[in-house]
Amino acid sequence: MVAVEVDNRSGREVDEEGAVSLAQRVLAAEGVDDGEVGIHFVEPAEIQRLKREHLGIDEATDVLAFPIDEREQVPDGVPRQLGDAIVCPDVVGEAWREPLVHALLHLLGHDHGPEMEARERMHRQ
């Protein structure tokens, strides 16, 4: 089972157990049964800074994904580091689950487009 670490520094109450459960369900459905992923809930200023530093766009956003290993082979005994999903509850409010699924799919190497949309619809059910 994928280990999920949640870090909530958004200043808002978030269903952390729900985030872990959602991440584990999505990753299992995508065929990922081992590894580690981080979910970080942050304030608008932090996600804006990250988007500016990494994408060159100076604005707050709902979610960012920072993949590490994706689906690459890793040496035996080394845990797969899927990466980090950064979610801003102030931007998305209570609807943070869909952006989280979106970020998790990016951590697995999926890009925007029809395939990504189909996968997102599948995980909403």
Side-chain angles (χ1 to χ4, degrees):
M1 178 179 291
V2 174
V4 181
E5 181 179 320
V6 177
D7 175 26
N8 183 7
R9 45 187 194 272
S10 69
R12 297 185 84 177
E13 189 172 318
V14 176
D15 179 7
E16 294 180 25
E17 288 179 19
V20 169
S21 177
L22 175 62
Q24 288 175 331
R25 282 194 321 269
V26 167
L27 295 169
E30 290 291 319
V32 178
D33 57 2
D34 69 329
E36 300 173 358
V37 66
I39 300 173
H40 308 271
F41 293 97
V42 301
E43 294 180 332
E46 184 173 352
I47 205 161
Q48 181 172 351
R49 177 184 57 76
L50 289 168
K51 189 170 183 178
R52 181 179 58 245
E53 290 175 1
H54 295 276
L55 299 176
I57 301 170
D58 192 15
E59 66 183 19
T61 191
D62 56 351
V63 68
L64 293 170
F66 295 98
I68 299 175
D69 291 330
E70 295 179 335
R71 293 181 184 261
E72 299 292 321
Q73 284 292 109
V74 293
D76 288 341
V78 174
R80 175 180 309 285
Q81 298 292 320
L82 294 170
D84 294 298
I86 315 296
V87 181
C88 183
D90 280 351
V91 172
V92 296
E94 293 296 315
W96 55 263
R97 287 165 182 81
E98 276 189 51
L100 177 57
V101 169
H102 186 88
L104 292 168
L105 293 173
H106 276 306
L107 295 181
L108 298 178
H110 297 292
D111 290 325
H112 292 125
E115 179 189 345
M116 177 85 133
E117 292 170 10
R119 289 181 176 287
E120 287 177 331
R121 276 193 304 277
M122 175 184 74
H123 293 299
R124 278 188 225 135
Q125 300 173 359

